[in-house]
Every structure is written in C-alpha cells, then in structure tokens.
Amino acid sequence: ILNVEQSPQSLHVQEGDSTNFTCSFPSSNFYALHWYRWETAKSPEALFVMTLNGDEKKKGRISATLNTKEGYSYLYIKGSQPEDSATYLCAPGDSNSGYALNFGKGTSLLVTP
Amino acid sequence: KAGVTQTPRYLIKTRGQQVTLSCSPISGHRSVSWYQQTPGQGLQFLFEYFSETQRNKGNFPGRFSGRQFSNSRSEMNVSTLELGDSALYLCASRQGTASNEKLFFGSGTQLSVL
C-alpha cells in the first residue's frame, strides 16, 4: 500500500482567492491517481482520475495536474467559493498493492465570504 | 440508479461485543471496498471484495473481517469491539478493480463503542 502525503493539512482562504494543494506518492509502480472531494455530512465524491504523466484535468474552476516521474499531483481551485469548502483527498493506486486505493489524510479547505 | 446503500446509519455497541455492517453497491458494480475514518487518521483501507473474493486487505487486525455475496452485497464484521474501533465506516463500490476506476461511496455507518 502506497504512502501518501498531502499538504497543507488545512487551508483557510477568502472568497475569490485561488489556491492549490499537493499530493505526494512513491513514483514506482504507479498506475493511477484519484482526487475526491468530501463535504461535511456528505459522502466523498470523485473529482478526477489520472493515469498519464503530464495529465491535466479540469472540472469548472477545479483542475489537477500529474507528475508520475517525481510522484506528485497538484489540485488547483480558481476563484474559490464558499461551496468549495470541503476536504480534498487523493489516492494513488499501484500494481503492487493489487490496485487498492490508499487515501492521504486530505487537505481541509475553508472558504469564507 | 440507486447509489451505494449502507446500513445501519448509526450503531452503539459496548466493548467486547461484535457488530456487522452492510453495504449494497450500485447495480452492476462487482467490487466493494471498506474504509475506516477516524479523527486525524484519514480514510484507512480495510479490504476490497470482487466477485465474492477478497482481493486486498489493509493493515487491520483479524478482528476485522468481511464477505461478499453473489449479488455483490457485502458485510463487514468486527468482533471483540474495542473503544478504538469507534469510527465512521465507509463502503465504496466500482464496476471492477482497475486502479483507474473511480469509487462511489455510501453515506457510512457511524459506530460508537462504549
């Protein structure tokens, strides 16, 4: 099971600010990288699944990049809104762990008006 | 299409008891994974089942076990409950087990051990 690090642990920004967080993972045997958003009182929901080095995915104001050679992914939120407040989780999958997804502890984002 | 259904939603048990949690995946999904969420620990992988077979297991003691039925529904059992087992237990389903398949999560079972 991969060791996953997410930073920062928490983040507090003002509405309209842009922000980004990092997910670091061992680069060997990498297969895929997932990002999930977990809002309070709801279930985690998938944002992106990325597999290729240099991949960039976008969903509205949220985008993510992937560097499999150095083992990191960035998640960007442009013009943060209060509804973006959530915990953002990443989970890499690798062939050695039988493709199980092991999550990082997440970045908790609070966006205030 | 119905989502992932977990029952019960809340559960209170005492130390030493055992508990069984249930998860019904999205129709057509054959893989069910279980996760434990405790404050400060993040989502920790318990195990994953596919076609009634355990495919992967996380780093949890043998008191944690599971099974999957032919209709893909899964149960998780924890025996000899300890205070530290108090947590939110989430299950997630996907069609197969490929790493590029996203997970669909249920609402979870909040277990309190007194």
Side-chain angles (χ1 to χ4, degrees), chain A residues 13-21 37 39 47-48 56-65 74-86 88 109-112:
Chain A
V13 302
Q14 295 295 119
E15 182 176 356
D17 289 349
S18 293
T19 186
N20 66 85
F21 350 116
R37 174 168 59 197
E39 297 177 67
L47 284 171
F48 307 112
E56 183 169 344
K57 298 225 172 176
K58 191 174 180 181
K59 188 176 182 178
R61 294 177 291 98
I62 304 177
S63 60
T65 60
Y74 293 139
L75 189 80
Y76 301 91
I77 303 179
K78 185 179 178 182
S80 302
Q81 299 296 309
E83 57 265 32
D84 296 328
S85 298
Y88 292 82
L109 174 66
L110 177 63
V111 183
T112 49

Side-chain angles (χ1 to χ4, degrees), chain A residues 23-93:
Chain A
C23 172
S24 301
F25 50 88
S27 55
S28 59
N29 303 308
F30 170 86
Y31 194 83
L33 190 283
H34 293 230
W35 280 101
Y36 289 78
R37 174 168 59 197
W38 194 357
E39 297 177 67
T40 303
K42 293 186 178 180
S43 307
E45 285 189 0
L47 284 171
F48 307 112
V49 179
M50 296 184 287
T51 57
L52 300 175
N53 184 45
D55 229 358
E56 183 169 344
K57 298 225 172 176
K58 191 174 180 181
K59 188 176 182 178
R61 294 177 291 98
I62 304 177
S63 60
T65 60
L66 178 65
N67 184 321
T68 61
K69 292 183 179 179
E70 296 181 37
Y72 64 84
S73 175
Y74 293 139
L75 189 80
Y76 301 91
I77 303 179
K78 185 179 178 182
S80 302
Q81 299 296 309
E83 57 265 32
D84 296 328
S85 298
T87 296
Y88 292 82
L89 301 164
C90 73

Side-chain angles (χ1 to χ4, degrees), chain B residues 16 30 35-36 54 58 63 65 78-79 90 95 101 110 112:
Chain B
R30 296 168 65 191
Y35 290 86
Q36 182 196 65
Q54 187 180 87
R63 299 184 297 107
S65 63
V78 188
S79 62
L90 287 169
Q95 283 188 316
E101 287 193 60
Q110 183 68 53
S112 297

Side-chain angles (χ1 to χ4, degrees), chain B residues 11-109:
Chain B
L11 208 46
I12 299 175
K13 292 285 187 179
T14 55
R15 279 182 300 175
Q17 287 187 307
Q18 76 164 18
V19 67
T20 299
L21 312 181
S22 179
C23 174
S24 293
I26 290 172
S27 178
H29 286 191
R30 296 168 65 191
S31 163
V32 173
S33 300
W34 287 90
Y35 290 86
Q36 182 196 65
Q37 164 79 8
T38 52
Q41 289 300 313
L43 277 174
Q44 294 187 281
F45 174 74
L46 281 155
F47 26 66
E48 180 175 22
Y49 285 87
F50 179 78
S51 293
E52 302 178 65
T53 302
Q54 187 180 87
R55 296 255 312 173
N56 296 291
K57 191 175 191 308
N59 190 26
F60 278 83
R63 299 184 297 107
F64 291 81
S65 63
R67 58 177 176 169
Q68 188 180 32
F69 302 95
S70 58
N71 62 357
S72 294
R73 189 178 71 84
S74 176
E75 287 182 347
M76 190 192 91
N77 186 74
V78 188
S79 62
T80 320
L81 284 165
E82 300 177 359
L83 296 178
D85 297 333
S86 295
L88 176 68
Y89 290 88
L90 287 169
C91 86
S93 73
R94 51 184 176 174
Q95 283 188 316
T97 57
S99 276
N100 59 353
E101 287 193 60
K102 61 183 179 182
L103 296 172
F104 293 83
F105 283 87
S107 299
T109 294

Side-chain angles (χ1 to χ4, degrees), chain A residues 1-4 25-26 28-32 92-94 97 102-103:
Chain A
I1 293 182
L2 295 180
N3 189 25
V4 187
F25 50 88
S28 59
N29 303 308
F30 170 86
Y31 194 83
D94 79 328
S97 67
N102 198 50
F103 285 83

